[in-house]
Amino acid sequence: PVSCALFSDSLIESELFGHDRGAFTGAVGARAGRFERAAGGTIFLDDIDDVPMAMQVKLLRALQNRTIERLGSTDPTPIDVRVIAGTKRDLRKMVAAGTFREDLYYRLDVLSVTLPPLRERREDIPALAEHFFVKYFARRGKAPAPISGGVMAAFMSYDWPGNVRELENACERAAESSTCGQVSTGCLAASVLFASAPA
């Protein structure tokens, strides 16, 4: 996995493609990039929407030619990886706005999976909540406590602007706060307990 949002414009190329010794100040030795290290496997480019335009050209070339060039080298290195990209934005809108390359979009868009926000798939909430409660009670060395109907009703009616991460945090908080043998509404943050979903 590579979170493209974590790296500055100047570091992302080295992170993805690697560099040779002397490629830049501080490059005291050669280093393989993520594409080389994922050889024969999968590289997940999370937040692909954060890749700078100049790097998008190089990424497109790597995907088309199935080769990369380390920084400081002119020798192509073949790559054998499956590429999965994740985004939090609508790439088609970014293409229309000129902030994401159309050719790269079509190179990546072989098979698209759209995951709607949690508020649009509320039927997933009980299973996710149960999973997170098991996880966080286990961290405390305890069996999961039963979840009260009030907690599940609050979870089902809340809009979850932070999606699954926010649900996980709510479950962690409730598991840490639970002292009465049951996950009750008193264990929930007021923002979750008293908010309701739009009609």
Side-chain angles (χ1 to χ4, degrees), residues 148-197:
S148 75
V151 167
M152 197 52 67
F155 280 2
M156 293 301 285
S157 65
Y158 184 62
D159 209 25
W160 301 110
N163 287 304
V164 176
R165 287 185 184 100
E166 186 181 10
L167 174 62
E168 180 174 8
N169 289 343
C171 292
E172 181 179 9
R173 175 193 170 118
E176 291 295 326
S177 303
S178 176
T179 57
C180 61
Q182 181 183 39
V183 179
S184 64
T185 54
C187 302
L188 299 182
S191 60
V192 173
L193 184 59
F194 298 114
S196 60

Side-chain angles (χ1 to χ4, degrees), residues 101-193:
R101 290 184 61 96
E102 184 176 29
D103 45 7
L104 178 57
Y105 170 76
Y106 287 116
R107 175 58 61 185
L108 291 168
D109 190 34
V110 175
L111 175 64
S112 292
V113 177
T114 301
L115 186 62
L118 193 54
R119 67 183 167 274
E120 293 178 14
R121 51 189 177 98
R122 293 181 189 277
E123 66 279 2
D124 291 349
I125 291 172
L128 287 167
E130 183 179 337
H131 167 76
F132 293 135
F133 279 125
V134 167
K135 174 181 174 179
Y136 288 109
F137 274 102
R139 266 199 197 163
R140 296 172 65 196
K142 297 184 176 183
I147 304 166
S148 75
V151 167
M152 197 52 67
F155 280 2
M156 293 301 285
S157 65
Y158 184 62
D159 209 25
W160 301 110
N163 287 304
V164 176
R165 287 185 184 100
E166 186 181 10
L167 174 62
E168 180 174 8
N169 289 343
C171 292
E172 181 179 9
R173 175 193 170 118
E176 291 295 326
S177 303
S178 176
T179 57
C180 61
Q182 181 183 39
V183 179
S184 64
T185 54
C187 302
L188 299 182
S191 60
V192 173
L193 184 59

